[in-house]
Amino acid sequence: MLKNTIFLTVLVLLFSGNFSKAQSIIWLDQLDLSVATQGHGKPGINTSVDGKKMTIAGETFDRGFGTHAESSLLIKLNGKAKHFSAWVGIDDEITGHTPAVEFEIYGDNKKIWSSGVMRLGDKARPVSVSLQGINQLELVVTDGGNGPYYDHANWANARFEAVGVSTFETFNPIASTPYILTPKPAVTPRINSASVYGVRPGSPFLFRIPATGERPMTFSVKNLPKGLAVDTKTGIITGKIAEKGTYEVILSAKNAKGSASKKLRIVCGDKIALTPTMGWNSWNCFGHEVSAEKVKRAADALIKTGLVNHGWNYINIDDSWQYNRDGKDTSFKGKMRDENGYILTNSKFPDMKGLTDYMHSNGLKAGIYSSPGPWTCGGCAGSYGYEKQDAESYAKWGFDYLKYDWCSYGGVIDGLPDNDPNKVPSLAFQGGADLDKGVKPFKVMGDLLKKQSRDIVYNLCQYGMGDVWKWGDDADAQSWRTTNDITDTWASVKSIALAQDKAAPYAKPGNWNDPDMLVVGVVGWGNAHQSRLKPDEQYLHISLWSIFSAPLLIGCDLEKLDDFTINLLTNDEVIAVNQDALGKQGVCQQTIGELKIYVKELEDGGKAVAFANFGREKVNMSYKDFQKLGITEHQTVRDLWRQKNIAKINTSNQSLALEIPAHGVAYYKFTGTK
Ligand code: GAL
């Protein structure tokens, strides 16, 4: 077939005597596929996304583009292509899962072909479309409606019949040059804490005053309640408050260049996490390769990079501090718990108490992870049947935060089969939306955590099943994941962002919707790479997580922070919106084409507004629908990323010029003026 095609092409060339009119076959795999965006892995050139021979329902293919939903490849045809053909389907390399995808083709932004939903084992479907007169082609693979999981998708034997050209240019319309907007912090002191902090009576109090400015710096606090003391050199406040009550204190910081003060309302009562958690989590950069040493280094880096001075203060260990069911750890002696059911740590975590002591001595908090099933998602020992011992261990070790997953709980929702945890797969997700059964394990752990003698922020990680936002508070949780795992792709960030509004009414001080970790910086364990999000996509991601009042957990390697990522994570005005004491979650108030406008009410009466451009075209407009955003009369408009006032307008008759990059954002604060 290939031979025939070459022969024909040569014949056409010879006899036409005119190269520009010559017809040729251009294979998709000959184009630059590296610009494609996809949900996982790298574009496979003549291979599946995992780099193997393409196989669809037992049939193998030598050529093509192996990708992963959500996937998009844009090609400039400039009217020079006549026809496109291919065979599409899900690669057989996926086993034990139920992926679904839909292949779609867009010509000049109009859908011209679609495969319909395809599943694993479906025979390859033929594609044959005329491209007459089309200038721009897009090959898309969507998630088939069930999320972009295990969606290994092949455009096999894909080729163009072209006229007068020997290749086509592929492109990605989103700008890729990073640019820094956050101004460098001043040398004079500035206190960057939230204005409220919650603690339970009798619990250890730990609060490090986050302040930027030249060191050395000395700290003081006025009106500290009885039982608390501040270390004047570090700004770390410790102690215990015995009585419930609200205490207004004044934090002060002083250095050679000046001084600064800020009010802090300490609320000693039942509620904790009165503002969203800010910190770091080990999963997205270290995965199962996490160790106490790496976690300690992350804590050091949080301090050394200055992130701690902007309010980042949790260091959370995710999965794999426990023994794994594969028993590969050399220190594993065949048991995961001691004779009293207390969990043992694996050899990479020899001294949990020592580790949290280290965090605490630096004014940082420590987080840990488990699952209510017998196994965590990564196959480590989970808490099923040992919840009491586990809650006690976390408290005894000094943890301040627990992320509690779901995973294997699906396998025990109706009881442990044959009393044998080994009969339960680590990934058994069924039943989570069943309110009678799916809520129970989270209540069990919530009750136990509340009984401990320290405050442990409780985060549920069951991906939003059963509308967790409606009952998470009853399980004594402070935050809950609303969706499946995030990845560092535009499709993932976009779909998670667009899924947040329904849960927004349930966000309040002490209760936060968690759209998962921040995918900026160097992420990906086993294959560390810079976030695949483009710079504008990262600005949009951080702005939306800020306006959503989302817990902010950095997922990247803190020892590899570049200037651009630091700029994203140290903008105190962007962070202040997230940490605003009113605790409202911003929601979309207006949609104009692909522009979504999110608004969040702030404690000082101002409003944060994120103009988020989900489209591939730049937005250039004169905006005047302020009443739709609940914004009236005279306003000062401040650009939060640039930390600059950009306009004073009478919103009843003036407009605001908006210029927003494709997949980018304008993040402003509106404050009423006379
Ligand atoms: C997933 C969870 C991830 C990570 C992982 C650990 O279920 O969503 O964030 O914690 O488990 O195995």
Side-chain angles (χ1 to χ4, degrees), residues 283 288 318-319 369 376-378 403 405 407 429 461 463 481 485 516-517:
W283 183 248
H288 295 300
D318 207 280
D319 209 354
Y369 163 95
T376 65
C377 305
K403 169 176 172 182
D405 215 311
C407 284
F429 294 104
C461 177
Y463 336 111
R481 281 269 298 276
D485 289 13
D516 207 1
M517 294 172 270

Side-chain angles (χ1 to χ4, degrees), residues 194-197 272-277 509-510 512 578-581:
S195 61
V196 65
Y197 181 74
I272 54 173
L274 298 184
T275 63
T277 311
W512 310 106
N578 174 268
Q579 295 288 302
D580 187 75

Side-chain angles (χ1 to χ4, degrees), residues 407-540:
C407 284
S408 64
Y409 193 82
V412 291
I413 201 161
D414 294 316
L416 185 59
D418 302 335
N419 218 11
D420 181 1
N422 289 313
K423 291 205 168 152
V424 181
S426 305
L427 300 178
F429 294 104
Q430 64 271 26
D434 176 341
L435 289 186
D436 289 336
K437 295 178 178 169
V439 176
K440 188 173 133 203
F442 295 104
K443 282 205 167 193
V444 169
M445 184 52 88
D447 280 351
L448 287 161
L449 292 180
K450 264 191 103 170
K451 289 192 184 127
Q452 306 309 313
S453 56
R454 57 184 304 114
D455 295 348
I456 301 178
V457 173
Y458 185 31
N459 171 260
L460 314 186
C461 177
Q462 48 78 289
Y463 336 111
M465 293 185 290
D467 291 352
V468 62
W469 43 90
K470 296 185 180 154
W471 53 264
D473 189 26
D474 294 337
D476 285 313
Q478 281 72 49
S479 58
W480 39 78
R481 281 269 298 276
T482 51
T483 59
N484 261 306
D485 289 13
I486 197 167
T487 58
D488 57 315
T489 62
W490 170 245
S492 170
V493 168
K494 178 179 172 182
S495 72
I496 290 181
L498 296 180
Q500 296 312 304
D501 278 4
K502 58 183 179 300
Y506 299 88
K508 58 177 182 297
N511 288 153
W512 310 106
N513 294 305
D514 176 4
D516 207 1
M517 294 172 270
L518 302 176
V519 277
V520 300
V522 175
V523 291
W525 54 284
N527 92 64
H529 58 271
Q530 276 293 342
S531 171
R532 285 171 291 173
L533 295 178
K534 302 280 180 164
D536 286 312
E537 296 171 342
Q538 300 192 39
Y539 278 116
L540 177 139

Side-chain angles (χ1 to χ4, degrees), residues 386-422:
Y386 300 98
E387 293 84 355
K388 183 168 175 290
Q389 287 95 326
D390 283 1
E392 285 172 16
S393 294
Y394 306 149
K396 189 180 76 195
W397 288 334
F399 280 100
D400 309 289
Y401 183 101
L402 172 69
K403 169 176 172 182
Y404 207 44
D405 215 311
W406 173 261
C407 284
S408 64
Y409 193 82
V412 291
I413 201 161
D414 294 316
L416 185 59
D418 302 335
N419 218 11
D420 181 1
N422 289 313

